[in-house]
Amino acid sequence: MQLQSSKNDFSSLGEARVQHIRRKSISVLAAGQILGGLGSGATLTLGSLLIVSISGLDSLAGMAATMNTLGAAVMAIPLALMAQKHGRRVSLSSGALLAVSGIVVIVSAAILSFWPLLMLGMLVLGTGSAMNLQSRFAATDLSSKTTRGRDLSVVVWSTTIGAVIGPNLFEPGEVVAQYLDLPVFTGGFLIAMVAQLAGALVYFLGLRPDPLRVAQYRASAQSKVGQLHRRGWNILRNTPMARRAVLTVALSHMYMVAMMSMTPIHMQHHGAELTLIGFTISMHVAGMYALSPVFGWLTDKLGARPIILLGQVLLISASVLVWVNPSDHTMTTIALLCLGLGWSASTVAGSTMISGAVEVSERPQLQGTSDLCMSLAGVIGGLSAGPILAAVDFEGLAVALLALAIIMIGLNLRATGTETIRA
């Protein structure tokens, strides 16, 4: 048995010690998320600029985010399998190191002026995004039913710090690039590489004892029946609660990406200055992360379903505000704030539901499958939003997205209420 070698380490752990490990793990995960957010905040925008600079093709600008998201999707399940076999410590630190290797490929591609290699580097860098997604689930490994939402949301919230600071490192990064005689737009990637290396070290040294290994041992010791080990897709087919939660998270993410990615173009077409566009996106990001602890606390108090429904109401509000007056920039900014808040409520509550849908032995598999679906939904939302915008304008896109909210409301209203939330 995989956990046999750990029994001597974990068998003497009392409840007080387990809670100490839980709190310590959340602090370590939050620190790692800050560093990971710093890396992603500094690289996604620079990736678009670097691709255009090397290829000379404006049409490839969006491929930086697309390849990064695809990389996150590709690596979601492998990282989850690694966590299930070796624990969060190995999985998260390995994910950070793989992200570093992606940055090495990106800088090499810039030196060689070879944009297909740059695409490959962005794909590998997406491992960092997959790792960041897994971190929020890692926060729930030792949580109880009454703390799971709050623990998860604290780690989600910590992403805000790195995401806000990251874009402000563009100019210092360029100073570093000039000093090292590297191509333009590569300095930010070097800063991101240092951040990811620091994150790998934080995870590797800080997650001792490993929270998932402790949770697995406790579940094994308390269980009187054999542990289940179904694959993620099998869990989705046979567990309605898991299926509903994963669909909620994925479709909410698709809704958010589709509307958010087209907002700058819409505002530009209506004469908005870049400063106002930037402020609108900043308000959106604030909505995504700033109140996540509130939604986590509400999820613990009221249950996941009411908070998911609240999230859908906020997403619908965003569409309605845009549809009522698409040319009003103030209305658009409020709509993007609602969009971020709706995404936050739905994602925090949905992710909390995912962690409680199955036993500890199956959580990494289900969580990895959820992250895969979430990333692929983001890719579909981003790729489809452009053609829809061209066909029916921004307000048409906003109204079309209401179908996703209706699906999610239907899924959660049809829930029987007899499903068991695991401890």
Side-chain angles (χ1 to χ4, degrees):
M1 183 178 176
Q2 177 190 333
L3 295 176
Q4 187 70 36
S5 61
S6 300
K7 283 188 175 181
N8 292 335
D9 297 330
F10 300 151
S11 58
S12 61
L13 291 177
E15 186 60 29
R17 175 62 175 159
V18 169
Q19 291 307 310
H20 172 76
I21 295 170
R22 167 182 155 260
R23 290 189 294 269
K24 176 191 172 187
S25 298
I26 292 171
S27 298
V28 170
L29 292 166
Q33 279 288 84
I34 291 171
L35 292 167
L38 187 69
S40 61
T43 56
L44 287 182
T45 302
L46 285 177
S48 298
L49 296 172
L50 189 57
I51 287 175
V52 173
S53 175
I54 293 175
S55 68
L57 300 171
D58 290 344
S59 58
L60 294 179
M63 290 303 295
T66 300
M67 296 302 289
N68 188 277
T69 305
L70 280 175
V74 168
M75 291 305 300
I77 291 180
L79 286 179
L81 290 173
M82 189 181 297
Q84 182 166 319
K85 186 174 182 180
H86 301 291
R88 300 291 190 188
R89 173 173 160 265
V90 172
S91 176
L92 294 174
S93 57
S94 297
L97 291 176
L98 280 171
V100 169
S101 70
I103 294 174
V104 172
V105 173
I106 289 168
V107 175
S108 300
I111 294 172
L112 297 172
S113 294
F114 188 50
W115 66 263
L117 183 62
L118 179 59
M119 296 289 194
L120 176 62
M122 292 301 299
L123 184 74
V124 178
L125 181 59
T127 306
S129 297
M131 175 199 67
N132 288 342
L133 288 175
Q134 189 183 116
S135 292
R136 78 190 193 280
F137 285 126
T140 69
D141 287 336
L142 294 173
S143 301
S144 66
K145 295 176 184 178
T146 58
T147 64
R148 189 174 288 138
R150 182 181 60 196
D151 292 348
L152 182 147
S153 65
V154 167
V155 174
V156 171
W157 176 86
S158 64
T159 308
T160 313
I161 301 173
V164 170
I165 295 175
N168 294 305
L169 298 177
F170 292 168
E171 290 189 14
E174 287 311 295
V175 173
V176 173
Q178 290 176 14
Y179 179 78
L180 297 176
D181 198 25
L182 291 174
V184 67
F185 302 134
T186 58
F189 287 98
L190 297 179
I191 293 176
M193 182 169 66
V194 173
Q196 292 288 11
L197 284 171
L201 194 63
V202 165
Y203 289 132
F204 192 75
L205 297 179
L207 293 178
R208 292 174 180 266
D210 189 291
L212 181 57
R213 301 300 295 277
V214 173
Q216 288 171 333
Y217 171 72
R218 295 181 83 207
S220 176
Q222 295 170 7
S223 177
K224 294 186 170 81
V225 298
Q227 295 291 302
L228 297 174
H229 293 286
R230 295 174 294 174
R231 295 289 184 181
W233 299 114
N234 186 258
I235 295 172
L236 292 183
R237 283 194 299 270
N238 296 287
T239 311
M241 179 179 175
R243 185 167 59 247
R244 188 173 77 253
V246 169
L247 278 172
T248 296
V249 171
L251 294 180
S252 297
H253 192 60
M254 183 186 294
Y255 198 123
M256 185 276 294
V257 170
M259 181 176 281
M260 181 271 294
S261 61
M262 293 298 106
T263 297
I265 297 173
H266 164 73
M267 294 183 71
Q268 189 177 54
H269 287 171
H270 285 274
E273 299 290 336
L274 288 177
T275 302
L276 180 57
I277 295 174
F279 174 76
T280 298
I281 298 302
S282 294
M283 292 297 292
H284 169 67
V285 173
M288 289 175 65
Y289 297 114
L291 294 185
S292 56
V294 175
F295 293 128
W297 179 81
L298 288 173
T299 299
D300 290 335
K301 294 294 183 183
L302 305 177
R305 197 190 324 181
I307 309 308
I308 288 173
L309 293 174
L310 171 63
Q312 302 316 302
V313 170
L314 287 165
L315 293 178
I316 290 172
S317 298
S319 288
V320 170
L321 287 170
V322 168
W323 178 71
V324 168
N325 197 341
S327 62
D328 187 328
H329 297 320
T330 300
M331 197 75 76
T332 301
T333 300
I334 296 173
L336 264 288
L337 176 61
C338 290
L339 181 70
L341 291 170
W343 177 91
S344 181
S346 300
T347 301
V348 168
S351 298
T352 302
M353 187 188 295
I354 288 168
S355 290
V358 293
E359 302 292 347
V360 171
S361 60
E362 295 186 317
R363 282 177 193 166
Q365 282 275 11
L366 178 59
Q367 291 161 355
T369 303
S370 173
D371 288 343
L372 169 63
C373 294
M374 182 179 183
S375 296
L376 290 178
V379 172
I380 295 170
L383 293 178
S384 61
I388 296 175
L389 179 73
V392 295
D393 294 327
F394 189 62
E395 55 269 36
L397 169 65
V399 172
L401 290 172
L402 291 177
L404 298 179
I406 292 171
I407 292 172
M408 289 181 277
I409 289 173
L411 284 172
N412 287 279
L413 287 179
R414 288 180 58 192
T416 62
T418 61
E419 298 158 330
T420 301
I421 303 293
R422 271 69 176 185

